[in-house]
Amino acid sequence: MKTLGIFRHAKSDWNDARLRDFDRPLNKRGRKGAAIMGEHIRNDGRAWKRILASPAVRVTQTIELASEAAGMAPPVSWDRRIYLANSATLMDLLREQEGDPASIMLIGHNPGLEDLIFDLVPDDGTSPLRDVVEEKFPTAAYAVLELDIDSWDDIDENCGRITHLVRPRDLDPALGPSLTD
């Protein structure tokens, strides 16, 4: 069995229309969300053997703030392919991981991360957490999937189940949907 963590970047700032999408930073709510999720991920107690992340500014800031709040500085492998990747690309990236770590956390963007969850977790009515993701996998959401595979080479559709899902609003209702952000 392998464990896959999926952490979506926190809420980004859209105020500067001159910025490329890749360069958008976090907004105030996003900075707070990244920090609270970093504390939660630390308290969740999982030791991620490998962290793969998009190098987009909003992802790097999410990781910095989450790591600072958690009091740790995990090594991160930056991979440009994660930026706006679809599910198939993310699965290919996981398949090529050397050393076959027991756990990997992906930090990136939607819709790719959400679609990856849909592809890995069967839509058979047995996963209430999958149903929550179907409603929305919001910014700074964190999910943990257990995959029924022996090697990352074996990752394929319908091989997993969601065992943990937390959104920022689950930890602080003020971080929920807002008409002003």
Side-chain angles (χ1 to χ4, degrees):
M1 181 174 55
K2 299 292 183 187
T3 304
L4 176 63
I6 298 177
F7 185 23
R8 185 175 172 201
H9 68 78
K11 189 93 173 145
S12 61
D13 188 342
W14 288 81
N15 288 333
D16 187 348
R18 296 171 298 161
L19 288 177
R20 295 180 314 147
D21 179 72
F22 187 87
D23 296 325
R24 277 190 292 115
L26 298 181
N27 67 14
K28 183 178 179 181
R29 193 170 107 196
R31 290 189 297 275
K32 186 174 181 183
I36 199 168
M37 293 307 293
E39 291 174 13
H40 174 77
I41 292 169
R42 177 198 64 218
N43 293 337
D44 186 40
R46 298 175 206 273
W48 297 102
K49 300 299 183 191
R50 185 162 301 155
I51 298 174
L52 306 173
S54 161
V57 170
R58 58 193 179 274
V59 175
T60 62
Q61 289 181 338
T62 297
I63 293 169
E64 288 169 10
L65 292 164
S67 297
E68 183 179 305
M72 57 178 75
V76 176
S77 295
W78 305 101
D79 195 316
R80 178 82 183 210
R81 293 174 295 171
I82 298 170
Y83 175 66
L84 304 182
N86 62 25
S87 176
T89 299
L90 294 172
M91 274 200 247
D92 286 344
L93 181 70
L94 290 167
R95 284 185 192 107
E96 71 185 36
Q97 293 306 301
E98 295 180 6
D100 211 27
S103 61
I104 295 175
M105 182 188 290
L106 277 177
I107 308 173
H109 312 267
N110 259 2
L113 293 179
E114 185 175 283
D115 289 344
L116 181 62
I117 292 170
F118 295 150
D119 287 345
L120 293 175
V121 179
D123 185 14
D124 59 7
T126 63
S127 176
L129 294 178
R130 187 186 195 284
D131 295 341
V132 173
V133 173
E134 280 191 30
E135 290 174 27
K136 186 172 186 183
F137 191 66
T139 52
Y142 166 68
V144 178
L145 284 66
E146 290 181 354
L147 307 177
D148 295 322
I149 57 174
D150 294 322
S151 168
W152 289 103
D153 288 340
D154 300 329
I155 196 168
D156 207 352
E157 292 184 9
N158 299 319
C159 71
R161 63 193 160 282
I162 303 174
T163 60
H164 186 82
L165 175 65
V166 174
R167 303 161 299 181
R169 68 176 157 208
D170 298 329
L171 304 173
D172 180 348
L175 294 173
S178 167
L179 296 176
T180 62
D181 283 335

